[in-house]
């Protein structure tokens, strides 16, 4: 048979370098699924998730880890609607993702037909840069070309809607040369974006004049590791990291203060409150209260997206440019600071902070202190591993307790902070880099929401990967823990069992039922050996750890308002008040204990 429009769609995506499409079948995309069957053996692979939302998360993670355009596929109506959460994750974290969705036949549209949804309107916000329905086979070429190119150029989500009768129509690979036809092409060359020379000179003047320089890096600095390090060394600066930039600079450098914000570190908080100059690179970190007070510091910002400039802090100079290229051009203009008192103070605080985290991790809990799980992993992180964290309390310990080294990757749902992406992110990481070890850190709430289902996806595909090393670590604390702590500290309310308590679930046992490896840990002395066993397993592992929900995720700074709310919540009859008080005392005391050098 001659090629259909769906066949041409897959061929065109392959021309764009798309290697896999994450999705879930349905009758609204039967034509595309048939094209996949005919294309079997080609480089373009269809990865079946258990839910369309998970497919969108996978496409987002694929873009984050590989740098390629992520693509997800869903049927019309309900399947298309399911994509939205994962697509918003990509949009808010500025990742290039193309969503391809089916639609009812063109002749039925407007008739209140089965599963008919106004899809252009539905996707207009999340894919506002480009959303288009293909109403003629001759459109397919330029619509796909524009969707992929726009997603890549704008680092955003685009959407292509294809009625099922168009999918099955004969392909038009070369539109006729007539008025109204469009003849598009594939390919995109990444431009070199640099500020003007005069602006680089001004930036150098500001940074050279600073005596206490702080650097904040985000996801936009992930490919500028060497340049950030050299700038920090020249300026005698400390480097703090927004959560999406956790892998931008290794944590084993003495001047790297770690994460910033509510999930951040004390050295990062001190760095921002005491600096006189701020250099922000590739970061849209949202919480201005963790940046210097307005007027405290002179500011220079570098971002590839001019819309993100001078948004969180009023910068003296805001530069549009690629992070690595701009810093590379700036370095020859910077003067090495002879006074190193500032950076020495930073390094002393950082060294003490890591010892404090070790002390905190080794404080007793009932049954396991969650920090101990992360501290033990941190000592064992494999070279070039990829880490995925879910939202919730797991993100607290991920942000603070893991010391990433050069060559590692790490991400999570940053600006959307959605529950549920931990496991699909890990799956996408294995498809993008099947030879690299991948570790997901997930709370039991997220596992029950959708992670358990995606274990089935892992069971389906793991034997296709070059190396089977994939670990899903589950914090089983029977509590929606992050929200519980937010209720206590931000709202002054005690834990409400009806909304917060979760049923227990045998995660490790379930993994074994699926043909995976399941390890269950309920004593702290078992943790190290369990990590060792998981890291050398011959198949993916679910590491289920019974953690104490009453260990407080202490912020780097506690305001008087937060302290009052916290105490008020406990006095109102919090069922876990006794454990919370005991663990809080232990955590605060860990900072006062004599540290081992």
């Amino acid at each position: 048979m001659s090629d259909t429009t769906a066949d041409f769609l897959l061929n065109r995506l392959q021309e764009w370098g798309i290697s896999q499409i994450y999705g879930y079948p349905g009758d609204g995309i039967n034509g595309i699924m048939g094209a996949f069957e005919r294309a079997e053996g080609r480089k373009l692979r269809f990865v079946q998730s258990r839910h369309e939302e998970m497919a969108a998360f996978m496409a987002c993670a694929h873009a984050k880890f590989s740098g390629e355009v992520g693509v997800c596929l869903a049927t019309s109506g309900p399947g298309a609607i399911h994509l939205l959460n994962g697509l918003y994750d990509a949009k808010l974290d500025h990742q290039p993702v193309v969503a391809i969705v089916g639609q009812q036949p063109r002749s039925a549209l407007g008739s209140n037909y089965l599963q008919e949804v106004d899809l252009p309107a539905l996707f207009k916000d999340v894919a506002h840069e480009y959303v288009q329905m293909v109403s003629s086979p001759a459109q397919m070429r330029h619509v796909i070309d524009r969707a992929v190119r726009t997603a890549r150029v704008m680092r955003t989500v685009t959407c292509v809607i294809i009625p099922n009768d168009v999918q099955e129509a004969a392909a038009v690979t070369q539109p006729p040369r007539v008025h109204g036809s469009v003849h598009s092409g594939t390919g995109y060359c990444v431009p070199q974006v640099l500020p003007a020379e005069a602006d680089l000179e001004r930036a150098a003047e500001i940074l050279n004049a600073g005596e206490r320089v702080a650097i904040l890096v985000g996801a936009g600095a992930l490919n500028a590791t060497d340049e950030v390090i050299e700038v920090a060394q020249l300026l005698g600066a400390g480097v703090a990291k927004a959560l999406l930039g956790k892998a931008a600079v290794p944590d084993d450098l003495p001047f790297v203060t770690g994460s910033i914000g509510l999930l951040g570190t004390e050295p990062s908080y001190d760095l921002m409150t005491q600096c006189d100059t701020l250099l922000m690179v590739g970061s849209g970190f949202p919480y201005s209260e963790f940046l210097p007070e307005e007027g405290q510091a002179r500011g220079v910002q570098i971002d590839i997206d001019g819309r993100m400039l001078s948004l969180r802090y009023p910068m003296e100079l805001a530069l549009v440019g690629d992070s690595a290229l701009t810093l590379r051009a700036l370095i020859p203009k910077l003067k090495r600071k002879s006074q190193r008192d500032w950076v020495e103070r930073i390094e002393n605080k950082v060294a003490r902070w890591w010892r404090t985290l070790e002390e905190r991790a080794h404080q007793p809990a009932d049954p396991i202190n969650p920090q101990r799980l992360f501290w033990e992993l941190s000592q064992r992180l494999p070279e070039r591993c990829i880490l995925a964290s879910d939202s919730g309390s797991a993100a607290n310990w991920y942000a603070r307790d893991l010391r990433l080294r050069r060559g590692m990757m790490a991400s999570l749902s940053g600006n959307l902070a959605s529950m549920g992406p931990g496991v699909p992110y890990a799956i996408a990481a294995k498809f993008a880099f099947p030879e690299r070890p991948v570790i997901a850190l997930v709370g039991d709430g997220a596992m029950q929401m959708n992670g358990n289902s995606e274990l089935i996806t892992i069971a389906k595909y793991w034997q296709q990967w070059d190396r089977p090393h994939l670990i899903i670590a589950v914090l089983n604390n029977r509590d929606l823990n992050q929200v519980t702590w937010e209720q206590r500290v931000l709202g002054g309310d005690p834990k409400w069992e009806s909304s917060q308590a979760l049923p227990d679930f045998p995660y490790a046992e379930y993994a074994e039922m699926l043909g995976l490896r399941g390890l269950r840990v309920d004593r702290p002395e078992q943790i190290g050996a369990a990590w060792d066993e998981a890291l050398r397993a011959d198949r993916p592992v679910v590491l289920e750890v019974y953690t104490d929900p009453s260990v407080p995720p202490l912020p780097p700074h506690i305001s008087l308002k937060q302290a009052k709310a916290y105490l008020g919540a406990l006095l109102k009859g919090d069922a876990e008040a006794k454990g919370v008080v005991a663990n809080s005392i232990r955590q605060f005391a860990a900072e006062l204990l004599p540290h081992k050098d």
Side-chain angles (χ1 to χ4, degrees):
M1 67 179 284
S2 60
D3 280 355
T4 67
T5 304
D7 292 309
F8 176 74
L9 162 69
L10 300 188
N11 290 335
R12 200 66 171 181
L13 290 171
Q14 194 165 330
E15 286 183 46
W16 272 101
I18 305 300
S19 57
Q20 36 227 348
I21 297 179
Y22 303 91
Y24 197 81
D27 60 359
I29 50 173
N30 275 348
I32 298 174
M33 302 316 297
F36 262 113
E37 184 180 10
R38 291 189 291 275
E40 196 167 358
R42 297 183 185 180
K43 293 181 180 179
L44 184 62
R45 171 168 46 190
F46 174 74
V47 177
Q48 183 201 79
S49 64
R50 310 273 63 76
H51 189 285
E52 292 90 352
E53 180 184 353
M54 301 296 98
F57 276 135
M58 291 176 193
C60 175
H62 186 92
K64 285 185 175 185
F65 292 128
S66 72
E68 302 170 354
V69 175
V71 180
C72 54
L73 174 66
T75 188
S76 58
I81 293 166
H82 282 161
L83 289 175
L84 287 175
N85 195 49
L87 293 180
Y88 273 104
D89 183 41
K91 178 187 177 182
L92 270 61
D93 283 354
H94 310 286
Q95 296 303 312
V97 169
V98 177
I100 299 173
V101 297
Q103 179 57 293
Q104 297 304 312
R106 290 168 293 177
S107 59
L109 295 180
S111 70
N112 196 28
Y113 199 71
L114 177 72
Q115 294 188 336
E116 182 186 352
V117 172
D118 187 350
L119 295 180
L122 178 73
F123 287 98
K124 191 58 180 175
D125 179 53
V126 72
H128 72 276
E129 293 289 352
Y130 192 76
V131 54
Q132 185 65 47
M133 187 171 78
V134 180
S135 58
S136 165
Q139 273 186 282
M140 181 62 79
R141 181 168 134 184
H142 71 259
V143 168
I144 285 298
D145 289 348
R146 287 209 71 202
V148 176
R149 183 175 285 110
T150 302
R152 183 81 186 275
V153 173
M154 303 302 294
R155 298 194 63 80
T156 192
V157 174
T158 60
C159 179
V160 176
I161 302 158
I162 312 173
N164 55 27
D165 58 325
V166 174
Q167 297 167 31
E168 296 170 351
V172 178
T173 60
Q174 186 171 339
R177 187 175 171 80
V178 296
H179 182 69
S181 68
V182 177
H183 301 260
S184 61
T186 60
Y188 174 69
C189 298
V190 179
Q192 291 191 344
V193 183
L194 268 174
E197 184 69 16
D199 291 329
L200 291 170
E201 294 284 355
R202 286 179 58 203
E205 289 174 9
I206 295 169
L207 296 171
N208 286 331
E211 296 181 357
R212 302 185 305 279
V213 181
I215 300 175
L216 173 60
V217 298
L222 287 171
N223 294 318
T225 300
D226 291 334
E227 291 79 6
V228 171
I229 292 172
E230 188 168 354
V231 169
Q233 291 173 332
L234 285 169
L235 298 176
V239 181
K241 301 187 286 186
L243 209 49
L244 286 172
K246 184 170 175 62
V249 186
D251 287 304
D252 52 11
L253 295 172
F255 52 83
V256 173
T257 61
S259 298
I260 188 175
L262 283 168
L263 312 187
T265 71
E266 288 183 14
S268 290
Y269 182 83
D270 293 342
L271 179 72
M272 292 295 153
T273 57
Q274 297 170 18
C275 70
D276 64 9
T277 307
L278 172 63
L279 171 61
M280 189 182 295
V281 183
S283 175
F285 174 72
Y287 301 121
S288 295
E289 68 269 26
F290 288 95
L291 298 177
E293 286 190 25
E294 189 169 345
Q296 170 194 320
R298 303 177 74 184
V300 175
Q301 185 178 2
I302 300 167
D303 204 291
I304 196 70
D305 186 348
R307 296 171 297 181
M308 300 302 294
L309 292 172
S310 213
L311 180 63
R312 312 304 185 193
Y313 187 82
M315 296 293 171
E316 186 171 336
L317 183 63
L319 305 174
V320 175
D322 173 84
S323 296
L325 292 174
T326 303
L327 292 176
R328 210 173 298 151
L330 187 60
I331 284 169
K333 307 176 190 304
L334 299 178
K335 299 174 182 176
R336 181 176 175 82
K337 297 194 184 298
S338 55
Q339 292 294 324
R340 313 301 285 185
D341 293 352
W342 169 243
V343 72
E344 288 173 3
R345 282 165 51 193
I346 292 167
E347 291 177 354
N348 288 335
K349 288 179 180 178
V350 170
R352 180 173 177 82
W353 173 251
W354 283 116
R355 294 193 293 268
T356 295
L357 287 181
E358 182 177 357
E359 294 287 351
R360 287 182 177 179
H362 285 81
Q363 297 304 305
D366 182 21
I368 290 175
N369 183 339
Q371 294 165 107
R372 178 73 176 270
L373 175 69
F374 287 73
W375 185 86
E376 295 282 359
L377 170 61
S378 193
Q379 319 305 307
R380 296 170 168 81
L381 286 173
E383 294 298 324
R384 301 183 73 247
C385 68
I386 303 176
L387 294 157
S389 174
D390 217 296
S391 300
S393 62
N396 289 302
W397 320 122
Y398 159 87
R400 294 190 189 128
D401 290 76
L402 293 181
R403 299 182 76 162
L404 269 59
R405 304 188 302 277
R406 183 184 287 271
M408 297 177 179
M409 295 183 186
S411 196
L412 75 177
S413 176
N415 289 292
L416 187 62
S418 174
M419 281 180 67
V423 179
Y425 267 39
I427 293 170
K430 283 302 288 187
F431 276 108
F433 298 98
E435 78 285 357
R436 297 177 69 162
V438 175
I439 302 168
L441 305 156
V442 186
D444 48 0
M447 285 301 292
Q448 292 184 18
M449 180 178 284
N450 51 43
N452 283 336
S453 293
E454 288 308 314
L455 292 181
I456 302 172
T457 304
I458 295 172
K460 175 173 179 167
Y461 287 109
W462 72 267
Q463 295 185 60
Q464 299 180 17
W465 298 328
D466 293 348
R467 295 178 63 190
H469 299 123
L470 170 61
I471 303 171
I472 310 296
V474 183
L475 282 70
N476 187 350
N477 55 27
R478 290 76 61 205
D479 180 43
L480 290 170
N481 200 233
Q482 185 77 350
V483 175
T484 294
W485 282 104
E486 288 170 347
Q487 288 175 345
R488 288 169 177 149
V489 177
L490 301 180
D493 297 316
K495 176 180 176 178
W496 186 35
E497 290 288 329
S498 295
S499 72
Q500 298 309 108
L502 289 171
D504 201 354
F505 183 88
Y507 304 96
E509 185 178 339
Y510 177 55
E512 292 279 349
M513 290 173 60
L514 294 174
L516 309 177
R517 184 81 173 92
L519 300 173
R520 182 181 178 278
V521 174
D522 57 12
R523 298 197 307 275
E525 62 271 17
Q526 299 172 323
I527 297 174
W531 275 122
D532 291 337
E533 184 174 351
L535 288 165
R536 64 173 179 262
D538 65 350
R539 65 193 59 211
V541 177
V542 172
L543 175 58
E544 177 187 359
V545 184
Y546 272 72
T547 56
D548 189 341
S550 62
V551 174
L554 297 174
H557 172 73
I558 299 176
S559 67
L560 181 60
K561 181 180 179 181
Q562 290 171 332
K564 287 181 177 178
Y566 183 37
L567 292 173
L570 299 182
L571 292 173
K572 290 176 184 176
D574 194 302
E576 296 174 359
K578 184 177 179 181
V580 167
V581 170
N583 282 315
S584 297
I585 292 171
R586 293 188 188 107
Q587 293 295 300
F588 283 117
E591 296 186 46
L592 307 176
L593 294 172
H595 295 298
K596 302 172 185 176
D597 293 320

